[in-house]
Amino acid sequence: MWVRDVMLRDVAVVGPETALRAAAEHMWKSQGQLLVVGDERGIYGVVTTRELVFGAEAQVQGYSVGGVGDLASLDFVFTHEDEAVEELARRMVHTGARRAIVIDGALRAVGVVSPRELARPDAVGRASEESFPASDAPSWTGTSAG
C-alpha cells in the first residue's frame, strides 16, 4: 500500500501571515482538520483545529498572535505519494511526528497523512503483517510466541 492510497487530498495551504479568522475559513472550506502553513519559499508547519482555537483564545486574552504562522507546529515529516505506508509509519514513529505532509516534485503540499489515515484497517493489517515475523510477538503484548 502506498501513501497515495491513504493520504488526505485537497489540503488547504495558507501563508504564515494569514489571520486566524481567514485560516479558520480555509479550514472550514477544505473540510479538513488541519492546514499546511507555507508559501513560495517553503513549508513551515501544520496547524490543527485545536491549535487554531487555542491561538484565537490567546488573542482574546491579549497575547500577540500575528498570524497562523505563529501557531505552526513542526511536528511533521515530508513524504511523497510513492512511499510505502509501512515505511512512512516507521519514520513517523521513529521521529515522533504526528503528521506527514505529502509533497510533489515541485515541493508543493498535495496531501497529508495523519495517524487516522494510518489506522485504516487495510493499512494496519499490512503494516502489522510485515512489521515482525509470526514467531516474534511484539514486546508490548506481554506474551511470547510459540
Side-chain angles (χ1 to χ4, degrees):
M1 178 165 285
W2 307 104
V3 167
R4 71 177 153 268
D5 300 323
V6 299
M7 71 185 217
L8 293 175
R9 298 176 188 278
D10 302 325
V11 62
V13 179
V14 296
E17 71 290 338
T18 303
L20 301 188
R21 182 176 297 275
E25 289 174 9
H26 283 287
M27 191 178 287
W28 179 261
K29 288 177 186 173
S30 72
Q31 298 181 3
Q33 298 203 359
L34 65 92
L35 299 168
V36 173
V37 180
D39 58 21
E40 63 280 347
R41 293 178 303 226
I43 296 173
Y44 306 109
V46 295
V47 173
T48 64
T49 305
R50 182 173 193 234
E51 291 161 335
L52 198 56
V53 168
F54 285 153
E57 180 62 25
Q59 272 186 335
V60 168
Q61 292 182 14
Y63 292 94
S64 176
V65 180
V68 74
D70 293 340
L71 308 174
S73 167
L74 301 177
D75 190 13
F76 69 92
V77 295
F78 289 111
T79 186
H80 52 86
E81 293 185 54
D82 295 332
E83 183 173 14
V85 169
E86 297 84 11
E87 181 57 32
L88 175 59
R90 282 188 204 100
R91 285 194 312 114
M92 288 174 70
V93 168
H94 180 73
T95 62
R98 298 274 304 148
R99 308 279 187 277
I101 299 175
V102 184
I103 56 174
D104 64 9
L107 304 179
R108 291 181 308 230
V110 295
V112 174
V113 178
S114 70
R116 181 179 174 142
E117 288 73 51
L118 294 177
R120 286 178 37 172
D122 51 345
V124 170
R126 265 187 214 177
S128 298
E129 290 168 9
E130 297 172 11
S131 294
F132 48 86
S135 61
D136 282 341
S139 61
W140 47 264
T141 62
T143 63
S144 58

